[in-house]
Amino acid sequence: MNLKTLLFIAASACATCTWAQIDLKSATICPQDWQMSDKQLQGEWLASIAGSNDTIRIVLGPHPEWRGNVKGSISRPASTHPMVGDVNQNSVTLEESADGSRITGTWLGEVQTGSCGTEIHGDYLAGEDAPPQTFILRKAKP
């Protein structure tokens, strides 16, 4: 190969790499007026709570009775409980119930800017008198 050919191949490779990086970045930037709704909250989430090594799995779908809300379950290594929730201008509230009638855990979080609804950070409250623990929710499956 001659020098011109090598330079052309190198320049083409650099241009392709640059376009791939631009496409990847644009795919993760949300439109300025983007807001999360109950539809983006539906799916499978993996959660971690500060101070705990447990992986928590949350599966949410449309609530059968309350339009704009979600219903599903939260699974920890030793238990599974029902969960309901909603979204209001990128603020997420999820409530779990160990007995199916009383709220035994509350998740209050905010959708992370630029995540397009795939990451939520906030505080988990294990009961009325429990101190808040930080949590991170990451979307595992739509």
Side-chain angles (χ1 to χ4, degrees):
M1 275 192 229
N2 64 27
L3 184 58
K4 284 183 181 179
T5 304
L6 288 174
L7 289 174
F8 177 76
I9 292 170
S12 296
C14 286
T16 302
C17 181
T18 300
W19 280 110
Q21 289 175 354
I22 291 169
D23 286 345
L24 181 60
K25 285 181 183 177
S26 65
T28 60
I29 297 173
C30 301
Q32 187 172 2
D33 61 348
W34 183 90
Q35 289 207 354
M36 187 165 178
S37 73
D38 61 298
K39 302 223 181 325
Q40 287 91 13
L41 194 53
Q42 295 173 28
E44 183 178 332
W45 295 82
L46 296 178
S48 59
I49 297 175
S52 173
N53 291 329
D54 292 340
T55 297
I56 301 165
R57 183 175 170 256
I58 297 173
V59 178
L60 301 169
H63 197 291
E65 299 167 26
W66 301 329
R67 188 171 179 235
N69 290 285
V70 293
K71 184 175 184 178
S73 62
I74 179 169
S75 299
R76 292 182 172 87
S79 63
T80 299
H81 304 291
M83 177 174 259
V84 296
D86 67 4
V87 179
N88 184 5
Q89 297 184 356
N90 292 335
S91 292
V92 175
T93 302
L94 299 170
E95 297 171 332
E96 61 181 283
S97 175
D99 63 8
S101 60
R102 292 180 308 112
I103 297 170
T104 54
T106 304
W107 303 67
L108 303 170
E110 297 290 326
V111 177
Q112 295 302 288
T113 302
S115 76
C116 296
T118 61
E119 191 166 317
I120 301 167
H121 294 197
D123 289 323
Y124 169 71
L125 305 162
E128 289 181 26
D129 299 327
Q133 298 169 279
T134 59
F135 74 80
I136 298 174
L137 286 176
R138 290 192 175 94
K139 189 85 173 249
K141 294 180 188 173

